[in-house]
Amino acid sequence: MNKIKVMSVFGTRPEAIKMAPLVLELKRRAEIESLCCVTAQHREMLDSVLDTFGIKADFDLNIMQQGQTVSDITARALKGLEEVFLSEKPDLILVHGDTTTAFSGALAAFYSQIGVGHVEAGLRTYDKYSPFPEEMNRKLIGSLADLHFCPTENNAKNLEKEGICKGVFITGNTVIDAMKYTVAKEKRFTDETLNSLDFSRKRIVLMTCHRRENYGEPMESIFRAVRRLAEAFPDTEFVYPVHPSPAVRDTAYRILGGSESVRLVQPLETSEMHCLMSRCHMVMTDSGGLQEEAPALGKPVLVLRRETERPEAVDAGTVKLAGVDEDEIFSLAEELLTSRESYERMARAVNPYGDGRACQRIADAILWSFGVLPSKPADFRP
Ligand code: UD1
Ligand code: UDP
């Protein structure tokens, strides 16, 4: 029997973390020939994840440029991917989430008339410009895809509202699968600043901030709130692995650089990040992935955005939307740092996003769609 040729396409850190366990699962399936093509929309942050999971890309388009625009990424990825697809002729390509690499991958596959599987399908805010450009990327990918792997039932319902009912599977999020490889209770950090943190005497707040729609005033307002919190709570330290985007770095170092209790560090290798997260007091972030990981580790999350496409953990009570207003962020964080009751209410491990078997379900769904397995995999239920 000819093997089904499945090519996974990704380019940024979060896609790599969430696609890595799937790439490893597909390699274990005898009926599948699994290939991996990276755009390298991110360079260092992608390579770090590939190293962590021991994955070697079969194709590397190496497209990253400093300070790239969304159009730069789209144009370079689209052209490079088309060439790879035409020469390799995969039976199915897989893209992940809502990045510009994912959108370009789905579009290039459509132009080459190759089927598309969308991992992490169906997330929506219904606000075209927030997150930007991710909300539109994922809607467009939804229109182009043939197979839709939704993390939750709510995501599948979002697709149904858009008339997408065929080829929809509820699988759980592969990030929970990834954490099985990376979460360790104790780990020596590469950065000595982190090894010098005294977790028994100080509360550690882990923060990240990088979204394009937060560039400029919203990001400045977020950082001013953090600077005030660091001054108001001397028993608390803030650790911020700063995203390498110049728009983020310049603002972070300008506003937070002089603050003694704010540790600005380089992006962390994923298992170091997960170790730090499991030992921290709480998380403040505008990241999508952190909103899924921190609840699984029982850490309260303040989301530094006006809206979220991940309402499940908000409903479960472990994530709160803090917005981007300085005073609002300050007062929500202040409450968590002063009221034990408020903190305990949020610090419960909940796992609405997966059970660690999403990759297994996705691989089974692919085999079922190609007529290899006789029955559709059962949906993930939390
Ligand atoms: C991208 C995704 C976003 C995702 C984020 C995860 C798009 C449009 N955005 O945004 O959805 O949340 O990744 O982090 O797809 N850089 C480096 N080295 C790296 C990575 C980035 O130097 O390893 C710098 C470069 O100057 C690059 C800039 O960061 O131009 C921005 O990277 P880009 O991928 O364009 O945007 P992100 O904000 O990372
Ligand atoms: N992450 C990491 N090192 C860091 C910051 C984040 O490994 O210094 C991981 C994080 O644990 C999560 C993913 O990167 O798995 C989230 O990526 P990011 O916040 O860049 O993108 P988003 O999820 O917002 O698209």
Side-chain angles (χ1 to χ4, degrees), residues 2-8 26 31-36 59 84-94 114-115 366 370:
N2 280 345
K3 289 192 178 199
I4 305 161
K5 198 171 188 177
V6 179
M7 184 177 282
S8 301
L26 295 176
E31 306 86 349
I32 291 177
E33 179 189 354
S34 168
L35 292 171
C36 183
F59 303 90
V84 174
F85 294 170
L86 290 179
S87 74
E88 286 304 309
K89 300 189 173 44
D91 298 303
L92 179 73
I93 74 116
L94 296 178
I114 296 169
I366 294 172
F370 279 83

Side-chain angles (χ1 to χ4, degrees), residues 272-289:
E272 293 192 19
M273 180 64 174
H274 287 170
C275 173
L276 184 59
M277 204 184 299
S278 69
R279 297 178 69 189
C280 77
H281 186 67
M282 63 185 241
V283 174
M284 296 174 69
T285 189
D286 67 356
S287 158

Side-chain angles (χ1 to χ4, degrees), residues 41-42 44-45 65-68 100 134 210 212 243:
Q41 173 179 335
H42 285 172
E44 302 85 355
M45 296 205 301
Q65 293 172 328
Q66 288 305 324
Q68 60 204 359
T100 295
E134 290 82 4
H210 73 276
R212 270 173 205 264
H243 189 290

